[in-house]
Amino acid sequence: MEILAIDIGFGFTKASNGSRSLVFKSILGEAKEIQFKGGMLGENTPGENIQIELDGTSYFVGEMAERQSNVRSFTLDQAQFFGSFAKQLALAAAAQMVNSYTPVSLVTGLPIGYYREYKDGLVKLLLGDHKVVLINANGQPEEKVIKISNVRVIPQPFGSLFNLMLNEVGELGNKRYVREKTGVIDIGFKTSDFTVADRMRYSERGSRTTDSGISKAFSIIADKLREKSNVNIELFRLYEAVDQGVIKIRGKEFDLKGITDQVFGQLAKAIASEVDRLWTDDWDIDTIVLTGGGGAVLAKYLQPLISGKVVAVDPATDARLCNVQGYWKFGKHVWSRGVVQPPAQQIPAGSKP
Ligand SMILES: Nc1ncnc2c1ncn2[C@@H]1O[C@H](COP(=O)(O)OP(=O)(O)OP(=O)(O)O)[C@@H](O)[C@H]1O
Ligand SMILES: [Mg+2]
């Protein structure tokens, strides 16, 4: 029995099997014959060349779809995401992480605000045997049967909490989080998820999902660039440019540092006031954990606006992986040791954004 964790995010799909992790953009594209795959000199980075066939349709996934597909799909609409993307993205990740016919126990998550509505559907979508054809970098098809025997769905920000609480074998490591009251702010591409765990008890009152994700800031940047260049830039093409502070469009360079500073500052302000409102009665929180890929990029804007002890992810680690690493530890805790008080079942929860 293999334990696998997959965090299907609006921006990135992340997976971990405890020893190896994988990240790719949550984009699906029409697959077509390609004469040369990978780098022109033969170099290949994992996650760069993903092509799968599922239920009779062939897809390019992630960066491959971004680069090669004429028809690319990407969505920030939750119904469309869970209806038409989640299964393909999860199986594209699973196909690269587990062997054919190996029974897999899977942990995945949903934003708190979508938990009640999509949980059962997501379990149904993923449970069972899935025939997937994985096309390798040389264009050779490899048929795999992904056998998902168990599925646990937990609220996404719990992943980061479990990552701090549990050690590599899924046992309670850092007891501090067990005794204290912890707030989690998980900022992703579409959503910001807030939750409070009071001595390991979930607080519905302090938990919520909003639409204050990084894509909000990216939309403003894309609008400004369209005005200046007449080019409509897909949001998922902005990660690197924003990170580097510059974008080249049709040979012309546009500086992004000023606008990024401004829109990230505004977004941080909006999130800080959501936190203030949501946690008004939770003034006794001991630690606030800032997580998710967006948590890392907004940390310097957000930290001065939030009162209390705010802990951000170590800049040397990839904050996008905190949830999925915690999902895996939770899976280890549940299935390897057999002792569980499944937190997911204490929380039939969520308010809609
Ligand atoms: N190395 C990186 N490459 C790309 N983006 C990064 C990187 N490090 C941090 N980021 C930031 O991470 C954000 C995505 O974070 P994350 O993967 O947690 O979102 P998500 O889980 O896909 O979204 P959601 O939670 O809304 O579904 C990006 O918007 C970007 O600002
Ligand atoms: Mg996320």
Side-chain angles (χ1 to χ4, degrees):
M1 173 77 71
E2 177 124 7
I3 295 168
L4 180 66
I6 305 180
D7 180 4
I8 322 164
F10 284 92
F12 295 87
T13 300
K14 285 81 64 177
S16 168
N17 63 6
S19 52
R20 192 162 65 85
S21 57
L22 184 72
V23 185
F24 55 85
K25 289 186 185 176
S26 296
I27 308 172
L28 294 175
E30 177 193 58
K32 51 177 187 168
E33 279 286 319
I34 293 193
Q35 304 191 59
F36 301 102
K37 283 192 179 161
M40 293 179 85
L41 295 174
E43 68 278 24
N44 234 328
T45 332
E48 254 192 26
N49 282 298
I50 315 174
Q51 182 180 352
I52 60 157
E53 242 176 76
L54 182 70
D55 304 329
T57 308
S58 194
Y59 303 91
F60 284 162
V61 184
E63 283 71 3
M64 180 91 172
E66 176 179 3
R67 229 175 312 116
Q68 303 280 15
S69 298
N70 292 323
V71 184
R72 301 172 289 272
S73 2
F74 158 82
T75 187
L76 291 178
D77 176 83
Q78 61 268 23
Q80 195 178 18
F81 188 73
F82 298 117
S84 315
F85 285 71
K87 182 178 176 185
Q88 288 84 338
L89 294 169
L91 290 174
Q96 296 177 81
M97 300 295 279
V98 294
N99 291 326
S100 202
Y101 291 108
T102 304
V104 173
S105 288
L106 176 71
V107 183
T108 188
L110 280 169
I112 290 196
Y114 308 144
Y115 190 81
R116 197 188 307 243
E117 187 176 349
Y118 292 102
K119 178 182 170 275
D120 294 342
L122 191 58
V123 171
K124 216 189 266 164
L125 213 55
L126 299 174
L127 201 61
D129 293 1
H130 307 276
K131 202 196 273 177
V132 175
V133 181
L134 187 68
I135 318 280
N136 69 22
N138 307 319
Q140 301 303 315
E142 184 193 349
E143 193 175 297
K144 279 190 163 186
V145 172
I146 310 293
K147 252 181 129 38
I148 303 184
S149 324
N150 297 294
V151 180
R152 279 294 177 97
V153 183
I154 62 176
Q156 286 177 352
F158 277 37
S160 291
L161 207 52
F162 289 141
N163 194 33
L164 293 168
M165 267 179 203
L166 304 175
N167 63 19
E168 299 311 317
V169 287
E171 286 162 358
L172 280 173
N174 195 337
K175 299 250 168 37
R176 191 176 110 203
Y177 295 98
V178 178
R179 286 191 297 260
E180 293 187 348
K181 185 164 178 177
T182 312
V184 183
I185 305 175
D186 170 10
I187 306 172
F189 193 55
K190 172 188 162 80
T191 61
S192 275
D193 263 70
F194 307 92
T195 194
V196 171
D198 189 358
R199 275 163 284 155
M200 306 264 295
R201 293 269 174 283
Y202 165 79
S203 154
E204 173 90 25
R205 182 186 70 197
S207 302
R208 209 183 155 200
T209 296
T210 73
D211 270 337
S212 302
I214 295 293
S215 60
K216 236 186 192 167
F218 277 18
S219 306
I220 302 173
I221 297 175
D223 285 348
K224 284 267 169 0
L225 287 171
R226 192 177 47 236
E227 279 168 26
K228 288 187 188 158
S229 69
N230 260 330
V231 175
N232 208 356
I233 299 175
E234 290 153 305
L235 299 186
F236 57 77
R237 294 181 78 168
L238 281 176
Y239 297 114
E240 211 172 299
V242 165
D243 189 45
Q244 290 173 357
V246 64
I247 190 166
K248 206 191 251 182
I249 305 173
R250 306 218 193 282
K252 195 170 164 207
E253 279 199 355
F254 295 87
D255 180 66
L256 297 179
K257 289 192 198 82
I259 173 104
T260 301
D261 236 8
Q262 193 189 330
V263 293
F264 277 4
Q266 277 168 9
L267 184 61
K269 246 190 225 158
I271 294 171
S273 66
E274 284 168 359
V275 167
D276 274 347
R277 257 178 288 139
L278 189 66
W279 294 344
T280 310
D281 297 328
D282 295 299
W283 40 261
D284 54 345
I285 288 178
D286 294 290
T287 308
I288 294 172
V289 176
L290 190 53
T291 182
V297 298
L298 287 190
K300 71 170 179 180
Y301 303 89
L302 205 48
Q303 266 166 329
L305 303 176
I306 295 181
S307 42
K309 186 171 142 209
V310 181
V311 179
V313 174
D314 174 358
T317 63
D318 188 339
R320 293 173 299 174
L321 294 172
C322 294
N323 284 343
V324 82
Q325 282 163 350
Y327 293 172
W328 188 84
K329 290 180 182 176
F330 175 70
K332 190 86 184 151
H333 183 85
V334 174
W335 289 303
S336 292
R337 303 175 64 243
V339 214
V340 222
Q341 175 62 290
Q345 288 173 12
Q346 295 169 5
I347 21 118
S351 50
K352 290 218 80 173

